[in-house]
Amino acid sequence: MADVVLRNLAKRFGDTQALVDLDLSIRDGEFVVLLGPTGAGKTTTLRLIAGLEKPDSGRIEIGGRNVAAEAPAERDVAFVFQQYSLYPHMTVYENLAFPLKAPVRKLSAEEIDRRVREVARMVRIDHKLENRSTRLSGGEMQRVAIGRALVRRPAIYLMDEPLSSLDAKLRAELRLELKRIQKELGSTLLYVTHDQVEAMTMADRIGIVAEGRLMQVGTPREIYGNPANLHVAARLGQPHINLLPADLLPGGQPPAGTKTVGARTEHLDIIVGKDANAEIDWIEHLGDQNHLHIRAGNHKLVTLADPYLAIAPGDRISLTLRDPLYFDAGGQRLS
Ligand SMILES: Nc1ncnc2c1ncn2[C@@H]1O[C@H](COP(=O)(O)OP(=O)(O)O)[C@@H](O)[C@H]1O
Ligand SMILES: [Mg+2]
């Protein structure tokens, strides 16, 4: 495993500036997640590191070496693609063993067998080693695809939304598994996704990307609690952060220059039927919690509420801010 450093990376495709001066250092053994919407430049970043694309400018270092002149095979990276591609005519065992059989690796048959079985156990596919890869469910295929990367011990694992094609339950399971395996192996991992839950739960550090730019890098707690700007604040949190004019609700202490107040659930206090300044529009019942849709003046807010809170559409409430986030006219955070 190794440190990976990206310096001023830029890449353009025709009229599209896919990446703009991207700087990122990934420490040895670190799990970094790039979080951003479709088209943000996530796949391009991984492809540049893997050597599948050439940057227009900038530098990529893996373990201290500049890899600009190295072909993909020389770079010592393992890539898990968004669309898993297994060898259909091979068994699960053969798929997992394949990356280890390259002549340059010079591994003994015993060593290959040991690694295949070890990784198969890790990704919980050891009971299906003799199955044809076409005879697997989507979740099992994806486990094999991840396993095929894990049998190698590269400088860095690059994973491109590897869980996005799976159903919610399996995604939640594999997210935990992947984090556990990464810890166990001490591997360096760059994972890209548009799913904020994956980023929050797996990352040591999250990098927020938008339109080819890295907007902020930090631990999940830093990114969530201390966002640098409106864009970053809006990427995290469910329901979505409420963006309100500075003077809409009482309770805050907006610093000079405040244009927008950002209020998540934890920044809003609700009292029913006292000095009302807002009204419940409707309530979405999710079972363990409710989404309250609230109208305050001409503004709509959504917040989570305890299912035991006795409240109904049409009820008048008092809504107060508690230590919300403040942003200036340019969207930059004020403190
Ligand atoms: N081979 C390509 N040719 C033309 N445009 C591309 C190519 N690859 C990516 N792009 C464009 O670059 C931008 C970033 O793409 P990508 O890195 O795939 O984003 P993401 O993975 O975050 O969805 C997008 O606007 C995309 O359309
Ligand atoms: Mg992509």
Side-chain angles (χ1 to χ4, degrees):
M1 291 292 149
D3 289 4
V4 174
V5 178
L6 313 178
R7 279 192 221 285
N8 285 310
L9 266 196
K11 178 69 182 175
R12 169 186 284 278
F13 296 102
D15 289 340
T16 309
Q17 189 71 47
L19 281 188
V20 191
D21 289 341
L22 187 104
D23 274 304
L24 179 66
S25 293
I26 303 161
R27 291 186 286 267
D28 186 27
E30 195 178 22
F31 195 141
V32 172
V33 177
L34 293 182
L35 175 66
T38 301
K42 304 183 298 295
T43 298
T44 303
T45 307
L46 297 186
R47 291 177 58 82
L48 286 170
I49 299 170
L52 304 173
E53 300 282 357
K54 243 175 98 67
D56 298 335
S57 56
R59 195 179 155 89
I60 301 169
E61 290 169 20
I62 299 179
R65 20 180 256 286
N66 177 358
V67 298
E70 293 182 2
E74 298 170 289
R75 291 196 182 189
D76 195 23
V77 305
F79 206 129
V80 180
F81 294 93
Q82 190 165 3
Q83 285 309 322
Y84 40 85
S85 47
L86 303 180
Y87 302 110
H89 57 288
M90 292 185 186
T91 63
V92 168
Y93 185 100
E94 289 162 343
N95 266 283
L96 291 173
F98 190 82
L100 299 176
K101 289 193 167 158
V104 293
R105 293 192 198 282
K106 301 193 182 71
L107 292 175
S108 68
E110 294 75 40
E111 175 62 10
I112 291 176
D113 185 66
R114 194 187 63 72
R115 282 217 212 162
V116 166
R117 290 180 191 281
E118 182 190 356
V119 164
R121 263 193 307 279
M122 279 185 194
V123 297
R124 314 261 152 99
I125 199 76
D126 45 328
H127 56 300
K128 298 229 165 144
L129 280 172
E130 299 313 319
N131 283 45
R132 277 293 180 98
S133 61
T134 44
R135 296 278 182 82
L136 301 172
S137 69
E140 289 167 343
M141 285 193 205
Q142 194 59 332
R143 281 166 197 258
V144 179
I146 292 170
R148 211 167 45 170
L150 296 178
V151 288
R152 296 181 42 205
R153 297 286 184 272
I156 185 167
Y157 295 105
L158 304 172
M159 300 198 182
D160 192 352
E161 316 213 24
L163 308 184
S164 63
S165 59
L166 306 176
D167 67 57
K169 180 164 178 287
L170 200 54
R171 222 160 48 222
E173 277 173 27
L174 280 189
R175 180 166 92 211
L176 286 172
E177 296 281 290
L178 202 53
K179 181 67 189 171
R180 180 183 58 76
I181 292 167
Q182 182 265 343
K183 277 244 157 77
E184 215 169 289
L185 295 176
S187 30
T188 312
L189 206 161
L190 180 60
Y191 184 107
V192 311
T193 183
H194 65 273
D195 181 335
Q196 57 166 310
V197 178
E198 287 182 9
M200 288 297 288
T201 54
M202 292 195 291
D204 294 320
R205 285 188 306 151
I206 296 175
I208 301 284
V209 283
E211 294 171 2
R213 286 171 204 277
L214 187 59
M215 310 205 83
Q216 188 175 354
V217 184
T219 64
R221 258 168 194 277
E222 283 164 0
I223 298 281
Y224 183 84
N226 207 6
N229 57 42
L230 270 179
H231 178 90
V232 174
R235 272 312 301 181
L236 295 177
Q238 191 61 30
H240 207 252
I241 192 168
N242 297 289
L243 301 176
L244 311 167
D247 55 0
L248 184 74
L249 298 176
Q253 284 179 313
T258 297
K259 174 78 192 298
T260 307
V261 171
R264 295 191 175 116
T265 294
E266 61 273 27
H267 302 134
L268 291 167
D269 281 335
I270 295 174
I271 300 174
V272 182
K274 209 182 115 218
D275 302 328
N277 61 353
E279 183 177 321
I280 304 294
D281 236 354
W282 87 91
I283 302 174
E284 278 178 286
H285 297 283
L286 304 182
D288 58 337
Q289 57 198 13
N290 291 332
H291 276 189
L292 295 188
H293 293 253
I294 300 170
R295 186 185 298 273
N298 290 324
H299 291 270
K300 291 181 173 182
L301 291 83
V302 184
T303 183
L304 286 179
D306 185 325
Y308 294 108
L309 183 67
I311 211 164
D315 283 356
R316 304 277 302 158
I317 58 170
S318 132
L319 199 56
T320 316
L321 294 170
R322 177 197 288 214
D323 225 359
L325 306 174
Y326 299 105
F327 302 92
D328 69 14
Q332 294 303 304
R333 172 89 182 287
L334 299 165
S335 45

